[in-house]
PDB file of all heavy atoms in Angstrom:
ATOM      1  N   HIS A 133      13.758 -19.292-144.989  1.00  0.00           N
ATOM      2  CA  HIS A 133      13.277 -17.924-145.115  1.00  0.00           C
ATOM      3  C   HIS A 133      14.286 -17.173-145.974  1.00  0.00           C
ATOM      4  O   HIS A 133      15.503 -17.388-145.865  1.00  0.00           O
ATOM      5  CB  HIS A 133      13.117 -17.265-143.752  1.00  0.00           C
ATOM      6  CG  HIS A 133      11.888 -17.731-143.024  1.00  0.00           C
ATOM      7  ND1 HIS A 133      11.843 -18.929-142.337  1.00  0.00           N
ATOM      8  CD2 HIS A 133      10.647 -17.173-142.901  1.00  0.00           C
ATOM      9  CE1 HIS A 133      10.639 -19.090-141.808  1.00  0.00           C
ATOM     10  NE2 HIS A 133       9.903 -18.048-142.134  1.00  0.00           N
ATOM     11  N   MET A 134      13.792 -16.322-146.844  1.00  0.00           N
ATOM     12  CA  MET A 134      14.678 -15.636-147.772  1.00  0.00           C
ATOM     13  C   MET A 134      14.245 -14.188-147.960  1.00  0.00           C
ATOM     14  O   MET A 134      13.111 -13.812-147.667  1.00  0.00           O
ATOM     15  CB  MET A 134      14.704 -16.363-149.123  1.00  0.00           C
ATOM     16  CG  MET A 134      13.360 -16.525-149.787  1.00  0.00           C
ATOM     17  SD  MET A 134      13.421 -17.474-151.337  1.00  0.00           S
ATOM     18  CE  MET A 134      14.206 -16.300-152.437  1.00  0.00           C
ATOM     19  N   ARG A 135      15.169 -13.403-148.436  1.00  0.00           N
ATOM     20  CA  ARG A 135      14.879 -12.005-148.758  1.00  0.00           C
ATOM     21  C   ARG A 135      15.508 -11.695-150.110  1.00  0.00           C
ATOM     22  O   ARG A 135      16.468 -12.341-150.537  1.00  0.00           O
ATOM     23  CB  ARG A 135      15.443 -11.059-147.697  1.00  0.00           C
ATOM     24  CG  ARG A 135      16.960 -11.074-147.589  1.00  0.00           C
ATOM     25  CD  ARG A 135      17.482 -10.094-146.572  1.00  0.00           C
ATOM     26  NE  ARG A 135      18.951 -10.125-146.523  1.00  0.00           N
ATOM     27  CZ  ARG A 135      19.733  -9.405-147.330  1.00  0.00           C
ATOM     28  NH1 ARG A 135      19.185  -8.609-148.255  1.00  0.00           N
ATOM     29  NH2 ARG A 135      21.050  -9.485-147.241  1.00  0.00           N
ATOM     30  N   SER A 136      14.981 -10.688-150.777  1.00  0.00           N
ATOM     31  CA  SER A 136      15.478 -10.303-152.090  1.00  0.00           C
ATOM     32  C   SER A 136      16.115  -8.927-152.013  1.00  0.00           C
ATOM     33  O   SER A 136      15.581  -8.019-151.370  1.00  0.00           O
ATOM     34  CB  SER A 136      14.329 -10.295-153.090  1.00  0.00           C
ATOM     35  OG  SER A 136      14.774  -9.880-154.362  1.00  0.00           O
ATOM     36  N   ASP A 137      17.276  -8.783-152.654  1.00  0.00           N
ATOM     37  CA  ASP A 137      17.976  -7.500-152.739  1.00  0.00           C
ATOM     38  C   ASP A 137      17.863  -6.997-154.169  1.00  0.00           C
ATOM     39  O   ASP A 137      18.513  -7.511-155.072  1.00  0.00           O
ATOM     40  CB  ASP A 137      19.446  -7.669-152.337  1.00  0.00           C
ATOM     41  CG  ASP A 137      20.181  -6.341-152.207  1.00  0.00           C
ATOM     42  OD1 ASP A 137      19.891  -5.428-153.007  1.00  0.00           O
ATOM     43  OD2 ASP A 137      21.051  -6.214-151.328  1.00  0.00           O
ATOM     44  N   GLY A 138      17.018  -6.001-154.380  1.00  0.00           N
ATOM     45  CA  GLY A 138      16.782  -5.479-155.722  1.00  0.00           C
ATOM     46  C   GLY A 138      18.003  -4.845-156.345  1.00  0.00           C
ATOM     47  O   GLY A 138      18.186  -4.891-157.561  1.00  0.00           O
ATOM     48  N   ARG A 139      18.857  -4.240-155.535  1.00  0.00           N
ATOM     49  CA  ARG A 139      20.056  -3.593-156.075  1.00  0.00           C
ATOM     50  C   ARG A 139      21.019  -4.610-156.675  1.00  0.00           C
ATOM     51  O   ARG A 139      21.656  -4.351-157.691  1.00  0.00           O
ATOM     52  CB  ARG A 139      20.765  -2.794-154.968  1.00  0.00           C
ATOM     53  CG  ARG A 139      19.976  -1.589-154.463  1.00  0.00           C
ATOM     54  CD  ARG A 139      20.625  -1.019-153.228  1.00  0.00           C
ATOM     55  NE  ARG A 139      20.723  -2.021-152.159  1.00  0.00           N
ATOM     56  CZ  ARG A 139      21.373  -1.831-151.028  1.00  0.00           C
ATOM     57  NH1 ARG A 139      22.012  -0.699-150.797  1.00  0.00           N
ATOM     58  NH2 ARG A 139      21.404  -2.776-150.103  1.00  0.00           N
ATOM     59  N   LEU A 140      21.105  -5.770-156.047  1.00  0.00           N
ATOM     60  CA  LEU A 140      21.998  -6.822-156.533  1.00  0.00           C
ATOM     61  C   LEU A 140      21.284  -7.801-157.457  1.00  0.00           C
ATOM     62  O   LEU A 140      21.929  -8.639-158.077  1.00  0.00           O
ATOM     63  CB  LEU A 140      22.588  -7.597-155.348  1.00  0.00           C
ATOM     64  CG  LEU A 140      23.450  -6.802-154.361  1.00  0.00           C
ATOM     65  CD1 LEU A 140      23.870  -7.686-153.195  1.00  0.00           C
ATOM     66  CD2 LEU A 140      24.679  -6.227-155.063  1.00  0.00           C
ATOM     67  N   ASN A 141      19.950  -7.693-157.532  1.00  0.00           N
ATOM     68  CA  ASN A 141      19.136  -8.656-158.279  1.00  0.00           C
ATOM     69  C   ASN A 141      19.489 -10.071-157.841  1.00  0.00           C
ATOM     70  O   ASN A 141      19.756 -10.959-158.651  1.00  0.00           O
ATOM     71  CB  ASN A 141      19.325  -8.496-159.789  1.00  0.00           C
ATOM     72  CG  ASN A 141      18.328  -9.316-160.583  1.00  0.00           C
ATOM     73  OD1 ASN A 141      17.210  -9.561-160.135  1.00  0.00           O
ATOM     74  ND2 ASN A 141      18.728  -9.773-161.757  1.00  0.00           N
ATOM     75  N   LYS A 142      19.448 -10.272-156.533  1.00  0.00           N
ATOM     76  CA  LYS A 142      19.819 -11.565-155.966  1.00  0.00           C
ATOM     77  C   LYS A 142      19.046 -11.778-154.679  1.00  0.00           C
ATOM     78  O   LYS A 142      18.686 -10.822-153.990  1.00  0.00           O
ATOM     79  CB  LYS A 142      21.328 -11.614-155.700  1.00  0.00           C
ATOM     80  CG  LYS A 142      21.857 -12.994-155.316  1.00  0.00           C
ATOM     81  CD  LYS A 142      23.377 -12.993-155.223  1.00  0.00           C
ATOM     82  CE  LYS A 142      23.897 -14.389-154.861  1.00  0.00           C
ATOM     83  NZ  LYS A 142      25.374 -14.418-154.779  1.00  0.00           N
ATOM     84  N   SER A 143      18.779 -13.047-154.350  1.00  0.00           N
ATOM     85  CA  SER A 143      18.083 -13.392-153.117  1.00  0.00           C
ATOM     86  C   SER A 143      19.026 -14.095-152.156  1.00  0.00           C
ATOM     87  O   SER A 143      20.015 -14.717-152.572  1.00  0.00           O
ATOM     88  CB  SER A 143      16.869 -14.283-153.417  1.00  0.00           C
ATOM     89  OG  SER A 143      15.905 -13.570-154.161  1.00  0.00           O
ATOM     90  N   PHE A 144      18.712 -13.993-150.874  1.00  0.00           N
ATOM     91  CA  PHE A 144      19.572 -14.542-149.833  1.00  0.00           C
ATOM     92  C   PHE A 144      18.729 -15.239-148.772  1.00  0.00           C
ATOM     93  O   PHE A 144      17.611 -14.810-148.473  1.00  0.00           O
ATOM     94  CB  PHE A 144      20.374 -13.426-149.148  1.00  0.00           C
ATOM     95  CG  PHE A 144      21.281 -12.663-150.071  1.00  0.00           C
ATOM     96  CD1 PHE A 144      20.798 -11.555-150.768  1.00  0.00           C
ATOM     97  CD2 PHE A 144      22.606 -13.050-150.250  1.00  0.00           C
ATOM     98  CE1 PHE A 144      21.633 -10.843-151.622  1.00  0.00           C
ATOM     99  CE2 PHE A 144      23.437 -12.343-151.112  1.00  0.00           C
ATOM    100  CZ  PHE A 144      22.947 -11.243-151.796  1.00  0.00           C
ATOM    101  N   VAL A 145      19.294 -16.306-148.197  1.00  0.00           N
ATOM    102  CA  VAL A 145      18.670 -16.935-147.040  1.00  0.00           C
ATOM    103  C   VAL A 145      18.840 -15.997-145.852  1.00  0.00           C
ATOM    104  O   VAL A 145      19.883 -15.356-145.691  1.00  0.00           O
ATOM    105  CB  VAL A 145      19.321 -18.300-146.745  1.00  0.00           C
ATOM    106  CG1 VAL A 145      18.794 -18.877-145.439  1.00  0.00           C
ATOM    107  CG2 VAL A 145      19.064 -19.272-147.891  1.00  0.00           C
ATOM    108  N   CYS A 146      17.802 -15.893-145.038  1.00  0.00           N
ATOM    109  CA  CYS A 146      17.875 -15.006-143.882  1.00  0.00           C
ATOM    110  C   CYS A 146      17.130 -15.623-142.707  1.00  0.00           C
ATOM    111  O   CYS A 146      16.446 -16.644-142.839  1.00  0.00           O
ATOM    112  CB  CYS A 146      17.290 -13.627-144.222  1.00  0.00           C
ATOM    113  SG  CYS A 146      15.512 -13.643-144.576  1.00  0.00           S
ATOM    114  N   ALA A 147      17.248 -14.990-141.553  1.00  0.00           N
ATOM    115  CA  ALA A 147      16.551 -15.454-140.354  1.00  0.00           C
ATOM    116  C   ALA A 147      15.058 -15.158-140.484  1.00  0.00           C
ATOM    117  O   ALA A 147      14.672 -14.173-141.112  1.00  0.00           O
ATOM    118  CB  ALA A 147      17.118 -14.764-139.119  1.00  0.00           C
ATOM    119  N   PRO A 148      14.220 -15.996-139.879  1.00  0.00           N
ATOM    120  CA  PRO A 148      12.769 -15.746-139.940  1.00  0.00           C
ATOM    121  C   PRO A 148      12.368 -14.400-139.362  1.00  0.00           C
ATOM    122  O   PRO A 148      11.318 -13.859-139.710  1.00  0.00           O
ATOM    123  CB  PRO A 148      12.185 -16.893-139.112  1.00  0.00           C
ATOM    124  CG  PRO A 148      13.229 -17.949-139.104  1.00  0.00           C
ATOM    125  CD  PRO A 148      14.546 -17.229-139.162  1.00  0.00           C
ATOM    126  N   THR A 149      13.214 -13.870-138.477  1.00  0.00           N
ATOM    127  CA  THR A 149      12.908 -12.594-137.824  1.00  0.00           C
ATOM    128  C   THR A 149      13.310 -11.378-138.647  1.00  0.00           C
ATOM    129  O   THR A 149      13.015 -10.248-138.265  1.00  0.00           O
ATOM    130  CB  THR A 149      13.627 -12.530-136.457  1.00  0.00           C
ATOM    131  OG1 THR A 149      15.039 -12.788-136.659  1.00  0.00           O
ATOM    132  CG2 THR A 149      13.071 -13.575-135.503  1.00  0.00           C
ATOM    133  N   HIS A 150      13.996 -11.602-139.767  1.00  0.00           N
ATOM    134  CA  HIS A 150      14.400 -10.470-140.607  1.00  0.00           C
ATOM    135  C   HIS A 150      13.147  -9.747-141.103  1.00  0.00           C
ATOM    136  O   HIS A 150      12.159 -10.405-141.486  1.00  0.00           O
ATOM    137  CB  HIS A 150      15.232 -10.968-141.789  1.00  0.00           C
ATOM    138  CG  HIS A 150      15.912  -9.883-142.563  1.00  0.00           C
ATOM    139  ND1 HIS A 150      15.238  -9.072-143.458  1.00  0.00           N
ATOM    140  CD2 HIS A 150      17.204  -9.456-142.567  1.00  0.00           C
ATOM    141  CE1 HIS A 150      16.080  -8.212-143.990  1.00  0.00           C
ATOM    142  NE2 HIS A 150      17.283  -8.422-143.460  1.00  0.00           N
ATOM    143  N   PRO A 151      13.155  -8.408-141.098  1.00  0.00           N
ATOM    144  CA  PRO A 151      11.939  -7.678-141.495  1.00  0.00           C
ATOM    145  C   PRO A 151      11.474  -7.947-142.920  1.00  0.00           C
ATOM    146  O   PRO A 151      10.296  -7.752-143.227  1.00  0.00           O
ATOM    147  CB  PRO A 151      12.341  -6.204-141.318  1.00  0.00           C
ATOM    148  CG  PRO A 151      13.838  -6.200-141.262  1.00  0.00           C
ATOM    149  CD  PRO A 151      14.222  -7.503-140.652  1.00  0.00           C
ATOM    150  N   GLU A 152      12.364  -8.400-143.803  1.00  0.00           N
ATOM    151  CA  GLU A 152      11.989  -8.682-145.185  1.00  0.00           C
ATOM    152  C   GLU A 152      11.857 -10.185-145.458  1.00  0.00           C
ATOM    153  O   GLU A 152      11.711 -10.597-146.608  1.00  0.00           O
ATOM    154  CB  GLU A 152      13.020  -8.082-146.146  1.00  0.00           C
ATOM    155  CG  GLU A 152      13.131  -6.564-146.055  1.00  0.00           C
ATOM    156  CD  GLU A 152      14.244  -6.019-146.922  1.00  0.00           C
ATOM    157  OE1 GLU A 152      14.806  -6.788-147.721  1.00  0.00           O
ATOM    158  OE2 GLU A 152      14.549  -4.824-146.794  1.00  0.00           O
ATOM    159  N   ALA A 153      11.904 -10.990-144.410  1.00  0.00           N
ATOM    160  CA  ALA A 153      11.884 -12.447-144.579  1.00  0.00           C
ATOM    161  C   ALA A 153      10.564 -12.941-145.143  1.00  0.00           C
ATOM    162  O   ALA A 153       9.490 -12.496-144.737  1.00  0.00           O
ATOM    163  CB  ALA A 153      12.158 -13.128-143.240  1.00  0.00           C
ATOM    164  N   LYS A 154      10.666 -13.868-146.109  1.00  0.00           N
ATOM    165  CA  LYS A 154       9.504 -14.555-146.654  1.00  0.00           C
ATOM    166  C   LYS A 154       9.803 -16.047-146.651  1.00  0.00           C
ATOM    167  O   LYS A 154      10.898 -16.475-147.036  1.00  0.00           O
ATOM    168  CB  LYS A 154       9.205 -14.087-148.076  1.00  0.00           C
ATOM    169  CG  LYS A 154       8.746 -12.640-148.155  1.00  0.00           C
ATOM    170  CD  LYS A 154       8.414 -12.237-149.581  1.00  0.00           C
ATOM    171  CE  LYS A 154       7.910 -10.805-149.645  1.00  0.00           C
ATOM    172  NZ  LYS A 154       7.604 -10.393-151.039  1.00  0.00           N
ATOM    173  N   LYS A 155       8.829 -16.841-146.227  1.00  0.00           N
ATOM    174  CA  LYS A 155       9.028 -18.282-146.182  1.00  0.00           C
ATOM    175  C   LYS A 155       9.017 -18.848-147.591  1.00  0.00           C
ATOM    176  O   LYS A 155       8.184 -18.482-148.421  1.00  0.00           O
ATOM    177  CB  LYS A 155       7.939 -18.947-145.347  1.00  0.00           C
ATOM    178  CG  LYS A 155       8.193 -20.423-145.086  1.00  0.00           C
ATOM    179  CD  LYS A 155       7.160 -21.009-144.140  1.00  0.00           C
ATOM    180  CE  LYS A 155       7.465 -22.472-143.826  1.00  0.00           C
ATOM    181  NZ  LYS A 155       6.487 -23.049-142.879  1.00  0.00           N
ATOM    182  N   ALA A 156       9.964 -19.739-147.864  1.00  0.00           N
ATOM    183  CA  ALA A 156      10.088 -20.369-149.186  1.00  0.00           C
ATOM    184  C   ALA A 156      10.041 -21.881-149.017  1.00  0.00           C
ATOM    185  O   ALA A 156      10.787 -22.442-148.211  1.00  0.00           O
ATOM    186  CB  ALA A 156      11.389 -19.952-149.853  1.00  0.00           C
ATOM    187  N   VAL A 157       9.167 -22.529-149.794  1.00  0.00           N
ATOM    188  CA  VAL A 157       9.008 -23.982-149.708  1.00  0.00           C
ATOM    189  C   VAL A 157       8.932 -24.560-151.113  1.00  0.00           C
ATOM    190  O   VAL A 157       8.200 -24.038-151.967  1.00  0.00           O
ATOM    191  CB  VAL A 157       7.730 -24.372-148.933  1.00  0.00           C
ATOM    192  CG1 VAL A 157       7.673 -25.885-148.729  1.00  0.00           C
ATOM    193  CG2 VAL A 157       7.653 -23.647-147.595  1.00  0.00           C
ATOM    194  N   LEU A 158       9.687 -25.621-151.348  1.00  0.00           N
ATOM    195  CA  LEU A 158       9.580 -26.364-152.607  1.00  0.00           C
ATOM    196  C   LEU A 158       9.780 -27.845-152.329  1.00  0.00           C
ATOM    197  O   LEU A 158      10.336 -28.229-151.298  1.00  0.00           O
ATOM    198  CB  LEU A 158      10.573 -25.856-153.657  1.00  0.00           C
ATOM    199  CG  LEU A 158      12.094 -25.992-153.416  1.00  0.00           C
ATOM    200  CD1 LEU A 158      12.610 -27.416-153.657  1.00  0.00           C
ATOM    201  CD2 LEU A 158      12.841 -25.046-154.332  1.00  0.00           C
ATOM    202  N   HIS A 159       9.325 -28.652-153.263  1.00  0.00           N
ATOM    203  CA  HIS A 159       9.519 -30.094-153.180  1.00  0.00           C
ATOM    204  C   HIS A 159      10.248 -30.546-154.439  1.00  0.00           C
ATOM    205  O   HIS A 159       9.916 -30.118-155.538  1.00  0.00           O
ATOM    206  CB  HIS A 159       8.177 -30.826-153.067  1.00  0.00           C
ATOM    207  CG  HIS A 159       8.317 -32.300-152.865  1.00  0.00           C
ATOM    208  ND1 HIS A 159       8.506 -32.875-151.623  1.00  0.00           N
ATOM    209  CD2 HIS A 159       8.319 -33.325-153.753  1.00  0.00           C
ATOM    210  CE1 HIS A 159       8.616 -34.172-151.754  1.00  0.00           C
ATOM    211  NE2 HIS A 159       8.502 -34.487-153.037  1.00  0.00           N
ATOM    212  N   TYR A 160      11.255 -31.390-154.275  1.00  0.00           N
ATOM    213  CA  TYR A 160      11.980 -31.900-155.447  1.00  0.00           C
ATOM    214  C   TYR A 160      12.044 -33.422-155.392  1.00  0.00           C
ATOM    215  O   TYR A 160      11.939 -34.041-154.338  1.00  0.00           O
ATOM    216  CB  TYR A 160      13.396 -31.319-155.522  1.00  0.00           C
ATOM    217  CG  TYR A 160      14.392 -31.992-154.594  1.00  0.00           C
ATOM    218  CD1 TYR A 160      15.054 -33.168-154.966  1.00  0.00           C
ATOM    219  CD2 TYR A 160      14.676 -31.458-153.336  1.00  0.00           C
ATOM    220  CE1 TYR A 160      15.957 -33.786-154.109  1.00  0.00           C
ATOM    221  CE2 TYR A 160      15.569 -32.073-152.482  1.00  0.00           C
ATOM    222  CZ  TYR A 160      16.197 -33.236-152.877  1.00  0.00           C
ATOM    223  OH  TYR A 160      17.075 -33.871-152.026  1.00  0.00           O
ATOM    224  N   ARG A 161      12.211 -33.997-156.573  1.00  0.00           N
ATOM    225  CA  ARG A 161      12.548 -35.420-156.661  1.00  0.00           C
ATOM    226  C   ARG A 161      13.555 -35.596-157.784  1.00  0.00           C
ATOM    227  O   ARG A 161      13.521 -34.875-158.781  1.00  0.00           O
ATOM    228  CB  ARG A 161      11.327 -36.298-156.874  1.00  0.00           C
ATOM    229  CG  ARG A 161      10.624 -36.152-158.199  1.00  0.00           C
ATOM    230  CD  ARG A 161       9.350 -37.004-158.243  1.00  0.00           C
ATOM    231  NE  ARG A 161       8.667 -36.912-159.531  1.00  0.00           N
ATOM    232  CZ  ARG A 161       8.788 -37.794-160.510  1.00  0.00           C
ATOM    233  NH1 ARG A 161       9.574 -38.859-160.373  1.00  0.00           N
ATOM    234  NH2 ARG A 161       8.131 -37.638-161.651  1.00  0.00           N
ATOM    235  N   VAL A 162      14.446 -36.550-157.605  1.00  0.00           N
ATOM    236  CA  VAL A 162      15.486 -36.810-158.592  1.00  0.00           C
ATOM    237  C   VAL A 162      14.908 -37.672-159.709  1.00  0.00           C
ATOM    238  O   VAL A 162      14.392 -38.756-159.462  1.00  0.00           O
ATOM    239  CB  VAL A 162      16.701 -37.516-157.948  1.00  0.00           C
ATOM    240  CG1 VAL A 162      17.749 -37.839-159.011  1.00  0.00           C
ATOM    241  CG2 VAL A 162      17.306 -36.648-156.851  1.00  0.00           C
ATOM    242  N   LEU A 163      15.013 -37.179-160.941  1.00  0.00           N
ATOM    243  CA  LEU A 163      14.554 -37.947-162.098  1.00  0.00           C
ATOM    244  C   LEU A 163      15.634 -38.889-162.611  1.00  0.00           C
ATOM    245  O   LEU A 163      15.348 -40.008-163.030  1.00  0.00           O
ATOM    246  CB  LEU A 163      14.119 -36.998-163.221  1.00  0.00           C
ATOM    247  CG  LEU A 163      12.927 -36.084-162.921  1.00  0.00           C
ATOM    248  CD1 LEU A 163      12.653 -35.177-164.116  1.00  0.00           C
ATOM    249  CD2 LEU A 163      11.683 -36.901-162.592  1.00  0.00           C
ATOM    250  N   SER A 164      16.898 -38.419-162.590  1.00  0.00           N
ATOM    251  CA  SER A 164      18.005 -39.262-163.040  1.00  0.00           C
ATOM    252  C   SER A 164      19.318 -38.665-162.556  1.00  0.00           C
ATOM    253  O   SER A 164      19.394 -37.480-162.191  1.00  0.00           O
ATOM    254  CB  SER A 164      18.018 -39.397-164.569  1.00  0.00           C
ATOM    255  OG  SER A 164      18.276 -38.148-165.173  1.00  0.00           O
ATOM    256  N   ARG A 165      20.360 -39.471-162.570  1.00  0.00           N
ATOM    257  CA  ARG A 165      21.698 -39.045-162.142  1.00  0.00           C
ATOM    258  C   ARG A 165      22.709 -39.400-163.225  1.00  0.00           C
ATOM    259  O   ARG A 165      22.657 -40.498-163.784  1.00  0.00           O
ATOM    260  CB  ARG A 165      22.099 -39.713-160.822  1.00  0.00           C
ATOM    261  CG  ARG A 165      21.151 -39.446-159.656  1.00  0.00           C
ATOM    262  CD  ARG A 165      21.550 -40.261-158.428  1.00  0.00           C
ATOM    263  NE  ARG A 165      20.576 -40.156-157.344  1.00  0.00           N
ATOM    264  CZ  ARG A 165      20.650 -39.276-156.348  1.00  0.00           C
ATOM    265  NH1 ARG A 165      21.672 -38.419-156.313  1.00  0.00           N
ATOM    266  NH2 ARG A 165      19.727 -39.260-155.405  1.00  0.00           N
TER     267      ARG A 165
END
């Protein structure tokens, strides 16, 4: 869960109970190392 701070132009991980919390989901795979 994450929230965005417009003043800092940055996002932060937060608790699901935070009033500004939004669930974030992505899938990755490694192409090369």
